[in-house]
């Protein structure tokens, strides 16, 4: 198997299959991440990193805690993991060398929060547009237009990128807001967008309540994460989360931008950095409106319990 060394990192088995059914080699992944290191590292630096890793013969898995045997020069930050009820140490990918080391670990997806390590204020918010199964990309474009109109109405601006999967992310850089207010503003924007055309978009968190509409997900705020621009996704061919100009979104084909084509299609510049507006203050009325909207996950949990009770009552009464 072909080996290489870059920036002091030994890269192994580059011509081997990356993972089952992906149709690319480990070298394809390494070359993409290395080629976009100057654009990707600034998006990851200083942020607790979660990565989706793959191995031939095994299911992909999300890794938040730093792997055992990591080099001493890999920086980490201690964070609390609610899922395992203990402190873990997440990687801070602050340089090309760390990115290459992660690539050699077969890390495919790079997920980061809007809240940098040690910070108390998020640097942005996101509306994640998730289409129904089997839907054409045109319905996502229509929903993205609703989000853009909602942003315009609030005096805000955002940039759009494909998720690397079926949907898109509309990212809004912000400043001077705490996580609770940022989350509230995200809920308000999602509600406003869905209200502009209830036949296209919905904020229903429970899938069965979406009825074939695009879900405007407002829950990825605070310490929640989104996949970074230029990150591959664990899908056949390894599609890439790619910046798209608003004017070109309708003609975009997310499947075209992969680890093998991104260099040619996206060019040598940094379209994501160019597309992102300067950080913006959140309008007070938007934040206040959002505080009147229940947190989606909490509301869904209560609704699920209510439906379960109603079902049991119906069965007992029949």
């Amino acid at each position: 198997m072909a080996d290489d060394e870059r920036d002091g990192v030994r890269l192994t088995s580059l011509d081997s299959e990356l993972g089952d059914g992906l149709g690319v080699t480990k070298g394809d992944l390494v070359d993409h991440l290395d080629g976009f290191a100057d654009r990707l590292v600034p998006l990851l630096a200083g942020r607790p990193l979660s990565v989706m890793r793959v191995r031939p013969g095994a299911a992909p898995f999300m890794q938040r805690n730093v792997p055992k045997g990591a080099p001493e020069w890999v920086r980490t930050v201690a964070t609390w993991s609610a899922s395992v009820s203990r402190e873990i140490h997440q990687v801070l990918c602050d340089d090309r060398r760390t990115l290459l080391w992660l690539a050699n670990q077969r890390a495919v997806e790079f997920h980061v929060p809007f809240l940098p390590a040690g910070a108390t204020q998020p640097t942005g918010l996101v509306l994640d547009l998730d289409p129904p199964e089997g839907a054409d990309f045109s319905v996502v474009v229509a929903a993205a237009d609703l989000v853009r109109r909602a942003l315009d109405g609030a005096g805000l601006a955002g940039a759009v990128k494909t998720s690397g999967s079926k949907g898109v992310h509309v990212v809004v850089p912000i400043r001077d807001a705490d996580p609770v207010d940022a989350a509230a503003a995200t809920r308000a924007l999602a509600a406003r967008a869905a209200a502009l055309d209830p036949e296209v978009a919905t904020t229903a968190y429970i899938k069965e309540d979406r009825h074939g509409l695009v879900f405007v997900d407002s829950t990825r705020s605070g310490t929640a994460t989104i996949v970074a621009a230029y990150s591959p996704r664990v899908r056949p061919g390894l599609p890439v989360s790619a910046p798209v100009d608003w004017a070109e979104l309708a003609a975009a084909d997310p499947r075209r931008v992969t680890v093998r084509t991104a260099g040619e299609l996206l060019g040598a510049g940094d379209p994501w950095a160019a597309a992102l507006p300067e950080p913006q203050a959140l309008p007070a009325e938007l934040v206040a409106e959002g505080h009147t909207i229940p947190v989606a996950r909490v509301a869904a949990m209560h609704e699920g319990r209510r439906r379960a009770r109603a079902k049991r009552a119906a069965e007992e009464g029949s």
Side-chain angles (χ1 to χ4, degrees), residues 231-250:
S231 169
R233 301 301 301 272
V234 180
R235 306 285 189 278
L238 260 62
V240 170
S241 179
V244 185
D245 187 275
W246 278 107
E248 299 174 0
L249 184 60

Side-chain angles (χ1 to χ4, degrees), residues 6 19 34 47 75 85 93 120 163 165 205 218 262 283 288 304:
R6 306 181 197 178
D34 196 12
R47 298 175 190 269
R75 294 187 62 223
S85 299
C93 185
T120 58
S163 68
S165 183
Y205 191 79
S218 63

Side-chain angles (χ1 to χ4, degrees), residues 219-311:
T219 64
R220 298 183 179 277
S221 57
T223 56
T225 65
I226 66 164
V227 70
Y230 309 119
S231 169
R233 301 301 301 272
V234 180
R235 306 285 189 278
L238 260 62
V240 170
S241 179
V244 185
D245 187 275
W246 278 107
E248 299 174 0
L249 184 60
D253 182 355
R255 298 167 298 182
R256 290 186 64 221
V257 187
T258 70
V259 293
R260 288 177 171 169
T261 65
E264 177 184 355
L265 294 177
L266 298 180
D270 191 345
W272 186 239
L276 288 170
E278 290 296 313
Q280 304 146 91
L282 292 172
E285 69 276 9
L286 185 73
V287 173
E289 178 184 334
H291 280 300
T292 69
I293 301 172
V295 177
R297 284 194 178 94
V298 176
M301 178 184 68
H302 290 309
E303 177 61 15
R305 290 174 177 172
R306 185 195 67 77
R307 293 182 187 184
R309 289 195 299 269
K311 182 179 179 180

Side-chain angles (χ1 to χ4, degrees), residues 17-22 52-62 105-106 108 234:
E17 180 183 13
L18 179 66
D20 296 346
L22 296 177
M52 182 74 77
R53 293 176 58 193
V54 299
R55 292 173 181 160
F61 62 100
M62 183 68 79
Q105 299 283 316
R106 299 178 189 258
V108 176
V234 180

Side-chain angles (χ1 to χ4, degrees), residues 114-115 119-125 174 176-187 221-223 282 291:
F114 283 108
L115 201 62
T120 58
Q121 295 182 336
T123 58
L125 57 83
I174 62 172
D176 305 327
D178 66 31
V180 174
D181 284 347
T186 310
R187 294 195 298 274
S221 57
T223 56
L282 292 172
H291 280 300

